[in-house]
Amino acid sequence: MNNRTWRVGILLVLIPTVALAAWQQGSHSHRAMPVEDTDWAELMGSMERMHAAMASVKRSGDSDVDFVKLMLPHHQAAIDMAKTQLKYGKDPQMRRLAQEIITDQQSEIELMQLWLKQREAPSSKTSARIKF
């Protein structure tokens, strides 16, 4: 057997082995991940959803409305991250803080949603009157 045949043989064995290892590494489900990876993935998922939601907000030209519409996904991400902390966190102080964040941020979300609803109500009534 010459050197070239030997090298090709080694490559034919190594390439599928490396490819299989890479595929297995990338295909692990979240359940198979260690807790350290799962909690991090959940935290990063919260951040990614927040950024996507904030990026989808269209500028209204009203600074107050724009502020509230951008703050809503920000607050929701805080809630999602706090829920992850309650799920995986061990420190009692951080768990209490996470619970307070959930309560406070949910209350602020409700306040902002109500404000938006009240803010939109007069403009929709005006446009209803203008229609012919």
Side-chain angles (χ1 to χ4, degrees), residues 10-132:
I10 290 174
L11 287 175
L12 289 175
V13 171
L14 286 178
I15 290 173
T17 304
V18 171
L20 178 62
W23 176 79
Q24 287 175 334
Q25 180 72 23
S27 67
H28 286 291
S29 72
H30 287 289
R31 282 180 256 197
M33 286 184 181
V35 170
E36 301 85 36
D37 292 342
T38 305
D39 64 348
W40 184 255
E42 286 185 31
L43 290 169
M44 290 298 101
S46 298
M47 296 291 289
E48 289 167 11
R49 285 187 300 279
M50 176 190 73
H51 289 133
M54 291 175 82
S56 72
V57 171
K58 303 294 182 226
R59 187 170 193 268
S60 73
D62 182 325
S63 294
D64 296 324
V65 170
D66 294 342
F67 168 75
V68 171
K69 286 186 175 183
L70 290 168
M71 287 303 290
L72 286 168
H74 174 75
H75 278 46
Q76 185 59 55
I79 291 170
D80 296 344
M81 293 174 76
K83 286 179 179 179
T84 300
Q85 171 60 19
L86 290 177
K87 189 174 176 182
Y88 298 104
K90 307 279 188 276
D91 185 271
Q93 285 181 301
M94 288 301 101
R95 291 179 56 78
R96 269 192 307 280
L97 177 62
Q99 189 58 60
E100 289 174 20
I101 287 170
I102 292 168
T103 302
D104 293 346
Q105 298 293 306
Q106 186 59 50
S107 176
E108 291 177 13
I109 285 173
E110 290 168 9
L111 177 67
M112 288 185 282
Q113 288 172 334
L114 179 61
W115 183 87
L116 279 174
K117 187 176 179 181
Q118 291 172 343
R119 181 100 174 172
E120 292 170 356
S123 64
S124 62
K125 289 178 187 173
T126 304
S127 62
R129 283 185 274 153
I130 296 174
K131 290 183 180 177
F132 296 107

